[in-house]
Amino acid sequence: MKKERENLELLLICMVIGIIAACITGYFLYENKKEYWEVQARDTFDEALTEEMQKRSGMEVFFCTEGNIHMPVDKKKEPITVFMETEYGKKNFVIPYEKHTHNIIRSSDQRMLYTYLLYKDPLKADSLNMIWSDLLAKVKFPGKTIVRVSVTDWWEHETNAYSNDLSYLSKSDSLVSCYLGYRCEVGVTGFTYSAWWKVLTLKDKILLGALVVASLLLFFVQEFMIRIYRRLFIKEIPVIAMDKSQSHIYQLEDDCFFDAGSMNLKSSAVNVKLTPLPATLLQGFLDAQDNKLSINEIMMLLWPDGTGTSERVHTTIRRLRKYLSEIDWVVEIGNSAYQLKNCHSIEEKLEK
């Protein structure tokens, strides 16, 4: 029962490690691909806006302009003041620096032209969004787009219009904003929304799944890795019984002995007295072939009256391991049997 619980805990740990690794990897993959698609969306948005304005190229235009608009030479980012005279009268307009610098046209004549064209034929959010979506579909953009068109009238009241699909607006990121007109009265903003499972490709999802599976495989190959470790770093040393019929003294190593009669485990640095059950079990291992005993053999050795249980075997094994740790010996389990072995350090292994 204890072994099963430990295996379940280890399996859960491996699963958690795999999920964490997949989440971290997925996050960086998503951010990298999201940046790529944002660049594609910005480029196509400019194309869509240009294509939408070209629809007005056949309109007749009647207006006149004076002066020109220049970018400020200082670094104070001060607002720009422009003057206009229309049927509503004469008026100065103060344009914020950000709007002025994000106007898609630099020439004042062209800006005035756009003011006239958009007054006669206002920009429609649905029409612009449709062109933008079609351009993005050609590059297989894995997301949704929304367009907002804001217009500031002569009296500087702003109204906003959105493209039809507003269900993703609360989740969307404002990707790009630009302005049109002599006084930057028309603002156009593009929004994009891409769910992470659509941004990530099938190849990416397979990679993330493989990370989780690989972590789970760590659990299933642990026994194989343990066997390799034991083969490389744990060496079995034959145990020599010294006049066993009389003294019951066993030589484990050159300077390490076990006296079964007195239940003493002695070496040059250690002198440990074992309790009866661990001492009997140690003698049983030393007498057994390959120093190996099954659970049933241990129960028959320690409790010949049939009162032995698996739990009692595990308890005795644990106590014996504690004694053996003093002399660098171990009791390992494998294939429903326990085996007494002598551990050797990596340094000793390399020296040989």
Side-chain angles (χ1 to χ4, degrees), residues 10 19 23 31 41 57 68 76 86 117 136 140 147 159 199 201 209-210 212 219 227 249 253 264 274 281 295 325 329:
L10 183 57
I19 293 174
C23 289
E31 289 297 319
S57 59
N68 201 2
K76 296 180 180 180
T86 67
L117 293 176
L136 285 174
K140 299 180 179 180
V147 170
T159 57
V199 172
T201 63
V212 178
F219 170 78
R227 290 180 182 177
I249 296 176
E253 296 181 53
N264 280 337
L274 279 62
L281 180 56
I295 294 178
S325 65
W329 280 63

Side-chain angles (χ1 to χ4, degrees), residues 324-349:
L324 293 175
S325 65
E326 300 286 341
I327 59 170
D328 201 25
W329 280 63
V330 296
V331 176
E332 298 289 350
I333 185 172
N335 298 324
S336 300
Y338 290 93
Q339 187 174 20
L340 179 69
K341 293 183 179 181
N342 187 351
C343 295
H344 287 262
S345 65
I346 298 177
E347 290 79 6
E348 291 173 341
K349 186 74 178 179

Side-chain angles (χ1 to χ4, degrees), residues 76-209:
K76 296 180 180 180
K77 299 184 178 180
E78 296 178 349
I80 307 299
T81 302
V82 298
F83 170 78
M84 291 188 67
E85 181 178 359
T86 67
E87 61 201 53
Y88 301 110
K90 301 177 181 180
K91 190 174 183 179
N92 287 325
F93 295 91
V94 178
I95 305 174
Y97 177 84
E98 292 298 326
K99 284 188 176 183
H100 176 61
T101 55
H102 286 87
N103 196 306
I104 64 173
I105 300 297
R106 287 289 175 263
S107 166
S108 59
D109 290 343
Q110 282 292 104
R111 289 190 180 187
M112 182 61 78
L113 175 63
Y114 275 21
T115 292
Y116 182 82
L117 293 176
L118 294 176
Y119 174 74
K120 292 296 184 180
D121 186 3
L123 202 61
K124 296 179 176 59
D126 285 329
S127 176
L128 178 58
N129 189 54
M130 185 177 298
I131 298 173
W132 191 24
S133 297
D134 290 342
L135 291 174
L136 285 174
K138 294 178 181 180
V139 294
K140 299 180 179 180
F141 175 70
K144 303 289 184 179
T145 61
I146 300 172
V147 170
R148 180 183 67 196
V149 177
S150 60
V151 179
T152 304
D153 61 19
W154 182 263
W155 300 274
E156 302 187 60
H157 297 147
E158 184 178 87
T159 57
N160 294 297
Y162 293 85
S163 53
N164 287 333
D165 190 2
L166 296 180
S167 58
Y168 296 96
L169 183 60
S170 61
K171 306 176 184 178
S172 303
D173 296 324
S174 176
L175 183 66
V176 58
S177 293
C178 57
Y179 297 90
L180 302 91
Y182 188 70
R183 53 190 176 89
C184 301
E185 68 274 13
V186 179
V188 185
T189 304
F191 299 85
T192 60
Y193 170 74
S194 300
W196 67 268
W197 58 86
K198 291 185 178 180
V199 172
L200 297 180
T201 63
L202 178 60
K203 183 178 179 181
D204 297 328
K205 295 173 183 176
I206 292 175
L207 172 62
L208 299 180

